[in-house]
Amino acid sequence: MFDFQEQEDLDLINNRKLLLNELELEFGENLTLGTTENISIVVSPSSYLEKILQLKNSFGFNFFLNLWISDNIADGENFELMVQLLNMDTHQRAIITCPVTELEPVPSLSDIYHGAFWCEQESWDMYGVSFDSIPKERILSPEGMEGHTLRKNFEPKPFRLKQSVDYSFSPDPRVSRSEWKRRSVHKLDMFGGEVNGPLRAIVEVYDEVIERGRLEIGYLHRGVEKIFENLSLNQIQPHLCRINTSSPTMFQQAWFGGIEKYLGVHIPDRAKALRMVFNELDRIYEHLDTIGRIVDNLGCYPFLKETIEMQESILMVMKKYSGQRLNGSLICLGGVKSDVPKGWLTECLNLLGFLEKKVLEVTKLISNSTLWMKRLCRFELNSKQAMDWGVSGPNLRASGVNYDMRKVSPHYFYNDIEFEVPLGINGQCYDRYLVRVEEILQSLSIISQLLDNLPLGDTKTKDNRVLIPRKQDVYSETNALIQHYRFYDGGVILPEGEFYNSIESSNGELGFYVHSRGESTLNRVKLRTPGFYSGQCFTDICEGGSIEELPLVINSLNLVVGEIDR
Amino acid sequence: MNSNIISEVAFTANSESFLKKWNESILQDELWPFPVSFSCCASELRSFRGMQNSSSYVDVSDISRPPEKADLLIVGGTISQKIAPHLIDIYERMPEEKWVLAVGACASSGGPYWTHNVVQGLSQIIPVDVYLPGCPPSKEMIIQSFEAIRERVAKKVSALSQTRWSLNV
Ligand code: SF4
């Protein structure tokens, strides 16, 4: 059985304390502590850039997580700019808050952290807060729309889509002007299932070789964050799994795990272990999906069939549990949906055996083939570039950076389980592929360890703040009846405050920032989806390729557009 | 086509074996689809692709076909305001006789996304022949929907011709 004691590294605790003391000296009363892992700092607009630079250079916050605007102050004109940074040594996350208005442009962070570029564009799109040197272009909403969507007073009006958007590139400082003028600009629309969602790539080509490129996103923008602001906590459930269908339980885990942590609800051990099993199954599914897409782009149709067959076998097992093939709502507030059905564990163990055999069989055939190596040993992303863009997950590890949240800030039983973190060397497509193959095998071993030691007991918490009472109790017991009405009338109410929770999803760090005013709906929800940052590094990666290879590059990064556009 | 195929579908548990029967029963001309798939429903269309045989009636294995050569437009997934003009463009580039299949709740009616940026159903922008409910629909349902399309093809009716007729164009 598991050792349920939390073992913490003493060195790590000391380092964290040291850093906190230093920060306290520097920021004084502007510093508040959520937990030792989550720090929040308030800065004034005049010292904003300076303090961020200081945090990066002297305090080691070298990884950019997120940047967003929040209207925590309810007057519709004054906003709060929030920047989230990560210290990769002590694994502490800092949220830096700075008051801003729509009238004054804010200094841009995109030179310090490249990954802030899209975030700042999004801030203008959603809230109308502009940034120096960032073009005022719509990034997610269609061009031509009026107003800023995420403001509380936004009212949709009919509009005409502006068709003549300018796709030209600015002059390239690396070459002479006459040389730059000889390049041509091409658009590549990927709407037919070449990549996981609709995307458009715009590239600058000279002599059939790509010199520069960027992605245009927003074709699948569904306004999930706006929807989240208008629904009660339980109604949000079905939307979580539809953001990225390949890994629905990852989103559910990040969301419900965060709420449970915030409310202080303890869930039973069996539920924890089952949640981990679902998450790892999702990881396998998503990685298989990636491999299948790469195979598809290279035109090896038989192998595509193999990967889809493997995915189908996972779906069959999921269907047995939840009744739905995709988008199953397996995780709920306070535990998992139900206990495992009869015979499910055996079926799951059989699945593991089948997958392991099949994955080894398929990858043995393709990994060392010359064609595969020749086509994939390209498109390099080195570790510095990856960290600059805020790329996380397997894409970061393929560049050689050893950072896996399951190891460094483990939740549930990841501490007690043996697994390894595979690393790449060059950050080429081939590394990204190999890391994923290796992660599949590791996940298989994690699941088998979990199933071997599956704790007994309940699968739902007894805490009546979040528990839906059973139907037969509602008919006979007054307490249950009251609870039932409270639950379906207002839902679970979060006390006033904010929290951030993140997990290692199949594509990288997936996090939810939630701000609540103590009402039944939430004030602000911000998703930190890994694809949003991996999508930006496309600019660095695509150089030197040809247009036909673009889907391959995008698939090797596993860009899921539902996740990017939200 | 023979209606007993559908009754057989109802009793076939295994989709693979169903597809075999389906393929065997197909003799006539082939439809050339142009799949446009965006979000979650794309995954189901993809798994449908995985069990395709080369002789199948609607072959979605080749996705590089231009819309000028296609006669069936398959749309799966949420339609945002930004992508709607592209869909209309693809639809207009297709030849005169064409059929449209909307896969999933989102393409049929907007699905769970009732927001400013989501088009509430494909029929708001182009005429639709067959709506396929489900979020996402299973691949067996996708196969069945082709039967409905086939019937319309055999009778040479399409949503477009009906619109024309009612408008007396
Ligand atoms: S119908 Fe459901 S599964 Fe299909 S795209 Fe819409 S939300 Fe996703």
Side-chain angles (χ1 to χ4, degrees):
Chain A
M1 290 299 280
F2 295 117
D3 181 9
F4 293 132
Q5 309 249 305
E6 298 244 319
Q7 316 154 343
E8 293 232 12
D9 200 347
L10 275 179
D11 283 351
L12 182 66
I13 294 180
N14 280 340
N15 282 345
R16 279 183 181 170
K17 273 193 187 141
L18 275 180
L19 186 74
L20 278 181
N21 287 344
E22 283 174 26
L23 281 171
E24 209 151 14
L25 275 180
E26 177 64 38
F27 292 99
E29 58 187 25
N30 289 334
L31 181 90
T32 39
L33 279 181
T35 56
T36 42
E37 288 175 34
N38 289 315
I39 308 158
S40 59
I41 302 169
V42 182
V43 299
S44 67
S46 54
S47 63
Y48 164 69
L49 205 58
E50 180 199 334
K51 294 286 182 203
I52 298 255
L53 266 176
Q54 202 182 7
L55 280 171
K56 183 181 182 186
N57 298 332
S58 346
F59 295 104
F61 284 92
N62 52 358
F63 193 87
F64 174 79
L65 278 180
N66 207 347
L67 180 150
W68 71 98
I69 304 277
S70 179
D71 46 359
N72 297 357
I73 321 155
D75 64 357
E77 269 177 25
N78 294 309
F79 303 106
E80 277 177 344
L81 170 66
M82 302 199 158
V83 182
Q84 195 175 31
L85 305 174
L86 168 71
N87 185 327
M88 288 178 106
D89 298 324
T90 61
H91 321 305
Q92 281 163 307
R93 291 176 168 72
I95 294 185
I96 297 103
T97 314
C98 170
V100 291
T101 64
E102 62 171 337
L103 304 172
E104 254 176 63
V106 188
S108 164
L109 288 190
S110 56
D111 291 336
I112 307 172
Y113 302 104
H114 293 343
F117 185 74
W118 275 6
C119 299
E120 288 173 351
Q121 261 192 321
E122 194 196 334
S123 301
W124 186 80
D125 186 354
M126 296 294 160
Y127 278 101
V129 175
S130 57
F131 289 80
D132 287 342
S133 78
I134 301 289
K136 284 188 185 175
E137 281 165 12
R138 300 273 176 188
I139 176 169
L140 296 177
S141 314
E143 198 71 48
M145 201 179 85
E146 269 178 54
H148 302 285
T149 330
L150 277 184
R151 286 192 185 182
K152 293 283 184 291
N153 58 4
F154 169 75
E155 269 176 27
K157 288 184 202 119
F159 64 93
R160 289 204 80 154
L161 196 74
K162 220 163 99 189
Q163 288 286 15
S164 56
V165 182
D166 186 17
Y167 289 120
S168 57
F169 283 76
S170 60
D172 195 344
R174 294 170 298 180
V175 295
S176 69
R177 217 181 152 79
S178 57
E179 205 171 305
W180 170 69
K181 278 193 175 156
R182 258 179 269 145
R183 296 180 184 171
S184 55
V185 176
H186 291 267
K187 288 184 295 191
L188 179 68
D189 289 344
M190 289 165 276
F191 298 154
E194 297 96 324
V195 299
N196 202 342
L199 261 182
R200 168 181 278 177
I202 302 151
V203 287
E204 209 180 34
V205 178
Y206 179 63
D207 207 7
E208 307 217 335
V209 177
I210 295 174
E211 301 286 343
R212 284 189 293 175
R214 62 165 190 264
L215 288 181
E216 193 185 337
I217 57 171
Y219 290 103
L220 195 55
H221 177 53
R222 313 192 260 204
V224 171
E225 282 163 11
K226 187 83 180 170
I227 294 176
F228 279 15
E229 284 175 13
N230 297 320
L231 298 180
S232 76
L233 283 192
N234 303 314
Q235 290 171 319
I236 287 173
Q237 159 91 320
H239 285 281
L240 289 170
C241 38
R242 281 163 180 79
I243 301 173
N244 175 358
T245 322
S246 313
S247 49
T249 61
M250 293 282 181
F251 283 78
Q252 291 166 2
Q253 170 58 35
W255 177 253
F256 291 125
I259 292 175
E260 282 153 8
K261 234 192 251 170
Y262 185 63
L263 289 174
V265 173
H266 293 286
I267 66 165
D269 289 333
R270 193 176 174 83
K272 286 181 186 170
L274 283 174
R275 282 181 176 194
M276 283 168 68
V277 172
F278 299 147
N279 281 355
E280 295 303 324
L281 277 176
D282 271 358
R283 198 184 307 279
I284 298 172
Y285 183 87
E286 177 118 39
H287 286 347
L288 283 174
D289 198 57
T290 312
I291 295 170
R293 281 174 193 280
I294 297 177
V295 163
D296 193 10
N297 289 142
L298 294 188
C300 320
Y301 195 56
F303 291 117
L304 172 70
K305 279 199 160 178
E306 301 274 329
T307 55
I308 289 186
E309 193 189 327
M310 287 189 260
Q311 284 174 295
E312 285 294 302
S313 64
I314 298 179
L315 288 184
M316 280 298 126
V317 171
M318 289 295 222
K319 185 179 175 184
K320 192 129 200 197
Y321 198 112
S322 73
Q324 218 174 346
R325 280 159 48 85
L326 292 160
N327 297 354
S329 301
L330 291 155
I331 295 177
C332 67
L333 198 51
V336 292
K337 187 180 145 266
S338 58
D339 204 351
V340 283
K342 245 186 212 142
W344 190 80
L345 291 180
T346 331
E347 212 162 288
C348 200
L349 284 171
N350 289 346
L351 171 77
L352 298 185
F354 166 76
L355 282 179
E356 184 161 7
K357 198 170 127 246
K358 200 95 188 200
V359 167
L360 288 177
E361 197 182 292
V362 170
T363 51
K364 199 176 133 204
L365 282 173
I366 52 181
S367 292
N368 293 327
S369 87
T370 2
L371 169 97
W372 189 259
M373 300 260 268
K374 205 175 115 203
R375 297 287 300 276
L376 285 186
C377 282
R378 308 181 55 198
F379 303 111
E380 206 169 300
L381 180 77
N382 64 35
S383 56
K384 182 172 176 305
Q385 286 170 330
M387 301 222 328
D388 267 352
W389 288 114
V391 175
S392 52
N395 296 338
L396 181 67
R397 293 194 281 277
S399 305
V401 182
N402 187 353
Y403 201 85
D404 189 328
M405 285 182 62
R406 290 176 292 170
K407 278 277 185 218
V408 298
S409 33
H411 62 279
Y412 301 163
F413 303 129
Y414 280 114
N415 243 341
D416 311 308
I417 279 177
E418 278 177 28
F419 67 100
E420 288 182 1
V421 181
L423 295 179
I425 302 168
N426 307 318
Q428 293 166 335
C429 289
Y430 190 63
D431 297 60
R432 289 192 277 276
Y433 155 75
L434 271 191
V435 163
R436 287 196 162 87
V437 172
E438 203 50 49
E439 274 191 16
I440 292 178
L441 298 176
Q442 292 300 331
S443 291
L444 287 173
S445 119
I446 294 178
I447 299 176
S448 67
Q449 289 177 49
L450 279 165
L451 291 184
D452 285 347
N453 297 306
L454 199 66
L456 297 173
D458 288 340
T459 50
K460 265 194 195 136
T461 169
K462 291 266 185 295
D463 196 323
N464 66 2
R465 278 175 300 171
V466 295
L467 186 74
I468 307 179
R470 290 191 327 195
K471 203 72 187 177
Q472 58 259 50
D473 294 347
V474 174
Y475 291 130
S476 55
E477 288 172 31
T478 329
N479 274 350
L481 185 67
I482 295 171
Q483 173 71 4
H484 175 89
Y485 273 109
R486 227 187 51 196
F487 207 81
Y488 285 100
D489 233 24
V492 179
I493 293 179
L494 293 189
E496 194 165 348
E498 57 182 9
F499 69 87
Y500 174 79
N501 185 48
S502 58
I503 61 161
E504 177 78 33
S505 84
S506 23
N507 297 333
E509 174 161 349
L510 166 73
F512 280 93
Y513 165 84
V514 175
H515 181 267
S516 160
R517 283 222 192 97
E519 294 160 2
S520 61
T521 54
L522 300 167
N523 182 42
R524 175 82 166 109
V525 180
K526 173 73 190 171
L527 275 73
R528 196 252 179 225
T529 43
F532 200 67
Y533 305 87
S534 314
Q536 297 182 68
C537 79
F538 173 81
T539 311
D540 275 350
I541 287 189
C542 66
E543 278 170 32
S546 66
I547 292 188
E548 293 81 51
E549 284 168 320
L550 286 180
L552 172 71
V553 180
I554 291 171
N555 284 331
S556 82
L557 287 168
N558 193 19
L559 299 186
V560 184
V561 183
E563 211 180 79
I564 299 178
D565 290 352
R566 286 158 284 145
Chain B
M1 222 183 48
N2 36 19
S3 55
N4 52 358
I5 283 282
I6 294 202
S7 53
E8 266 176 56
V9 178
F11 301 110
T12 331
N14 185 341
S15 54
E16 205 74 48
S17 67
F18 161 67
L19 192 73
K20 229 163 153 197
K21 277 184 211 153
W22 175 248
N23 283 333
E24 281 161 11
S25 65
I26 285 156
L27 310 157
Q28 300 171 13
D29 51 349
E30 193 188 342
L31 270 183
W32 276 28
F34 185 82
V36 189
S37 43
F38 308 133
S39 40
C40 342
C41 281
S43 315
E44 278 300 355
L45 274 176
R46 220 176 106 77
S47 35
F48 172 63
R49 260 185 81 192
M51 43 180 255
Q52 288 262 315
N53 291 343
S54 53
S55 62
S56 101
Y57 176 56
V58 179
D59 180 15
V60 280
S61 63
D62 181 8
I63 50 178
S64 56
R65 185 179 292 139
E68 280 84 0
K69 291 197 176 167
D71 17 54
L72 170 63
L73 178 66
I74 307 174
V75 181
T78 322
I79 304 158
S80 70
Q81 299 273 14
K82 200 167 172 178
I83 203 136
H86 294 278
L87 278 179
I88 298 174
D89 180 44
I90 291 172
Y91 182 75
E92 277 169 2
R93 274 163 63 195
M94 283 165 65
E96 264 302 277
E97 273 184 63
K98 49 196 162 191
W99 288 267
V100 179
L101 168 64
V103 177
C106 279
S108 309
S109 69
Y113 298 99
W114 197 42
T115 56
H116 61 282
N117 205 30
V118 175
V119 177
Q120 300 299 309
L122 188 58
S123 56
Q124 307 250 332
I125 50 176
I126 48 181
V128 181
D129 281 288
V130 175
Y131 296 94
L132 189 54
C135 185
S138 64
K139 38 182 192 182
E140 287 83 357
M141 286 170 72
I142 298 180
I143 298 172
Q144 280 204 31
S145 71
F146 287 134
E147 167 74 10
I149 288 273
R150 243 185 88 83
E151 274 172 17
R152 293 177 78 91
V153 174
K155 288 186 196 149
K156 296 266 175 221
V157 277
S158 72
L160 178 66
S161 62
Q162 282 168 349
T163 335
R164 289 235 177 93
W165 180 76
S166 61
L167 291 175
N168 281 329
V169 183

